Amino acid sequence: MFDKSIEVIFCFVSSLAALEIIEAIEAISNGTSSVIVSRKRPSEGNYQKEKDLCIKYFDQWSESDQVEFVEHLISRMCHYQHGHINSYLKPMLQRDFITALPEQGLDHIAENILSYLDARSLCAAELVCKEWQRVISEGMLWKKLIERMVRTDPLWKGLSERRGWDQYLFKNRPTDGPPNSFYRSLYPKIIQDIETIESNWRCGRHNLQRIQCRSENSKGVYCLQYDDEKIISGLRDNSIKIWDKTSLECLKVLTGHTGSVLCLQYDERVIVTGSSDSTVRVWDVNTGEVLNTLIHHNEAVLHLRFSNGLMVTCSKDRSIAVWDMASATDITLRRVLVGHRAAVNVVDFDDKYIVSASGDRTIKVWSTSTCEFVRTLNGHKRGIACLQYRDRLVVSGSSDNTIRLWDIECGACLRVLEGHEELVRCIRFDNKRIVSGAYDGKIKVWDLQAALDPRAPASTLCLRTLVEHSGRVFRLQFDEFQIISSSHDDTILIWDFLNVPPSAQNETRSPSRTYTYISR
């Protein structure tokens, strides 16, 4: 039936198309091709009957037969006819799926599609029509956008905790929190906060807090680590002091080492410290009780790192010790790495590499799994005092007063940063910045991304120099909101770039409050 009827229809269509093609050629030859007038049908009555017959046959066919017929029909038409058909089909093919989905009871799909938009696109989507605005509002999509940022960006996460709006996020029931309009107005406030923080970093605006650590025998704070609740510091007077991060009062003093506490690291269970008395001690972070003492190195333990059951220590005795750390009381020596020709000042590691730096001017790379030597990074002109390693990047500081950035995989030096006037004693970096402290008493903030760009001029790399310490800077740690540093001047300084008072907005140095702890 289909084949027979299609032959009849094509005979009719072909005659119409032929007539239209002839008229088009005549129009072109007469110079009137810019406007082609619709052709008059030769017999209006016959056309209507033939059209009705075509439609009758068409309606009797299956969908696939109908599609096949239309394809044949289009293939027999000329170019300008294709243009008319395209103009006719275009609006028919457009679908407002965001409006159509809720009509089918599929609101959740419309919400899910729009939830992938960024803030600028979400603003534009709200203006499309009332239905799109309703889907965004009832789907709480501004809330979901903020939650996505908090999950993926540490700056957003930290800001949510410090500003208190984390209490409105990740609620199971929509009735547990404010309406979508609250989050819609919250978003630009968050962006303004982030821009202010970035500006404060670049301009050096900060609120400064100072902890005085002086006691009778102390002449410096060699190391520190902090979290939201506390600061733990290692001092030259052989003690470890734990400070409340809010009140800045000393909560506890741990004693046991017979030499200066040169390095430390802690987690939720233990504090591990290394000392000039050549020992490593493990303490209960909550009670302060000594849980273990490791006696291995022959001279001062200069640095240590531990993570995921592995600990690495290094010493003035030129060696590196790799330990299996099953628990606080079950720590066994796996391997001793020997290769440096002077004191090993610092170590860092991940699952792939152990990285060490020494007074012999070299950085050595070792396999974490096998403890075998991999390569040496050469370039510093004098001994290396500090480094940090993450992913492919190693950043090191030296007594040649420079900072070097290295690609650990090929050993290439990517950039040399110059600016400190004395030995660079401590260095940390994140995805945006490098922060360094030196024996010149200065802390410098560098643009990491610019430093990794070989086209960036050297003059643009140092964002800010912070000068408050009156002695050598021994150690620092930082996050998106603050730097905490310690010094030979017996102080711990907290440089807060978030809570900057309005009076300091036009200043680079801000008023400080000082807390003094006197040991008894």
Side-chain angles (χ1 to χ4, degrees), residues 257-276:
H257 278 298
T258 57
S260 300
V261 181
L262 303 178
C263 54
L264 67 81
Q265 184 185 343
Y266 72 85
D267 62 13
E268 66 277 2
R269 299 185 305 275
V270 297
I271 307 168
V272 184
T273 57
S275 168
S276 59

Side-chain angles (χ1 to χ4, degrees), residues 174-190:
T175 55
D176 291 344
N180 183 68
S181 58
F182 169 82
Y183 301 98
R184 177 67 178 81
S185 61
L186 175 62
Y187 190 92
K189 295 176 184 175
I190 296 171

Side-chain angles (χ1 to χ4, degrees), residues 173-205:
R173 294 177 300 174
T175 55
D176 291 344
N180 183 68
S181 58
F182 169 82
Y183 301 98
R184 177 67 178 81
S185 61
L186 175 62
Y187 190 92
K189 295 176 184 175
I190 296 171
I191 296 301
Q192 180 61 49
D193 237 357
I194 290 172
E195 290 174 351
T196 300
I197 292 167
E198 293 297 321
S199 174
N200 289 343
W201 273 96
R202 288 188 170 273
C203 298
R205 291 189 293 265

Side-chain angles (χ1 to χ4, degrees), residues 17-297:
L19 287 169
E20 292 195 5
I21 292 169
I22 291 169
E23 287 186 7
I25 293 171
E26 290 176 349
I28 292 170
S29 63
N30 293 329
T32 59
S33 60
S34 59
V35 178
I36 298 177
V37 182
S38 298
R39 176 181 51 80
K40 292 183 179 179
R41 301 184 183 96
S43 173
E44 190 69 35
N46 290 340
Y47 166 76
Q48 190 62 44
K49 290 178 183 179
E50 291 168 347
K51 184 182 78 170
D52 292 342
L53 181 62
C54 288
I55 294 172
K56 178 182 176 182
Y57 283 133
F58 189 84
D59 290 341
Q60 293 172 359
W61 300 332
S62 66
E63 287 188 4
S64 59
D65 289 341
Q66 289 175 344
V67 170
E68 182 184 345
F69 169 72
V70 172
E71 288 176 350
H72 282 303
L73 194 64
I74 292 173
S75 69
R76 291 167 178 258
M77 293 182 177
C78 64
H79 183 70
Y80 95 90
Q81 289 174 312
H82 292 157
H84 280 293
I85 292 171
N86 181 60
S87 300
Y88 179 72
L89 288 177
K90 190 173 289 185
M92 295 177 66
L93 294 174
Q94 292 174 345
R95 286 288 184 272
D96 181 358
F97 56 90
I98 297 300
T99 300
L101 285 168
E103 293 173 356
Q104 304 297 320
L106 299 173
D107 299 64
H108 61 288
I109 296 179
E111 292 170 9
N112 192 47
I113 292 169
L114 294 179
S115 70
Y116 287 93
L117 298 179
D118 59 20
R120 184 183 297 274
S121 303
L122 201 56
C123 284
E126 286 181 317
L127 301 176
V128 171
C129 63
K130 289 183 179 180
E131 182 61 20
W132 283 47
Q133 189 179 45
R134 183 195 67 79
V135 171
I136 291 169
S137 178
E138 293 184 4
M140 302 294 285
L141 297 192
W142 282 103
K143 174 175 177 283
K144 291 177 180 177
L145 174 60
I146 294 171
E147 289 174 341
R148 186 168 78 239
M149 297 302 297
V150 169
R151 277 194 301 267
T152 58
D153 190 322
L155 175 56
W156 281 70
K157 185 176 188 301
L159 200 56
S160 72
E161 295 166 352
R162 286 164 173 79
R163 292 303 197 216
W165 42 266
D166 59 331
Q167 64 182 303
Y168 304 114
L169 305 178
F170 306 106
K171 303 292 185 183
N172 293 327
R173 294 177 300 174
T175 55
D176 291 344
N180 183 68
S181 58
F182 169 82
Y183 301 98
R184 177 67 178 81
S185 61
L186 175 62
Y187 190 92
K189 295 176 184 175
I190 296 171
I191 296 301
Q192 180 61 49
D193 237 357
I194 290 172
E195 290 174 351
T196 300
I197 292 167
E198 293 297 321
S199 174
N200 289 343
W201 273 96
R202 288 188 170 273
C203 298
R205 291 189 293 265
H206 59 274
N207 182 47
L208 189 70
Q209 296 173 285
R210 188 188 308 266
I211 300 174
Q212 297 283 2
C213 303
R214 282 191 299 268
S215 62
E216 291 182 7
N217 301 318
S218 177
K219 294 182 180 178
V221 185
Y222 281 133
C223 53
L224 64 82
Q225 183 184 336
Y226 72 86
D227 56 40
D228 290 338
E229 287 78 41
K230 61 185 176 295
I231 303 170
I232 301 183
S233 58
L235 281 74
R236 192 175 180 180
D237 69 358
N238 310 347
S239 70
I240 298 113
K241 290 188 172 72
I242 303 175
W243 310 84
D244 183 284
K245 191 162 180 296
T246 303
S247 68
L248 306 186
E249 296 178 353
C250 186
L251 303 175
K252 196 173 297 184
V253 181
L254 311 184
T255 59
H257 278 298
T258 57
S260 300
V261 181
L262 303 178
C263 54
L264 67 81
Q265 184 185 343
Y266 72 85
D267 62 13
E268 66 277 2
R269 299 185 305 275
V270 297
I271 307 168
V272 184
T273 57
S275 168
S276 59
D277 65 12
S278 307
T279 69
V280 175
R281 288 180 180 253
V282 184
W283 317 71
D284 185 296
V285 73
N286 297 309
T287 66
E289 176 189 1
V290 178
L291 303 175
N292 203 343
T293 301
L294 306 178
I295 302 174
H296 164 75
H297 289 290

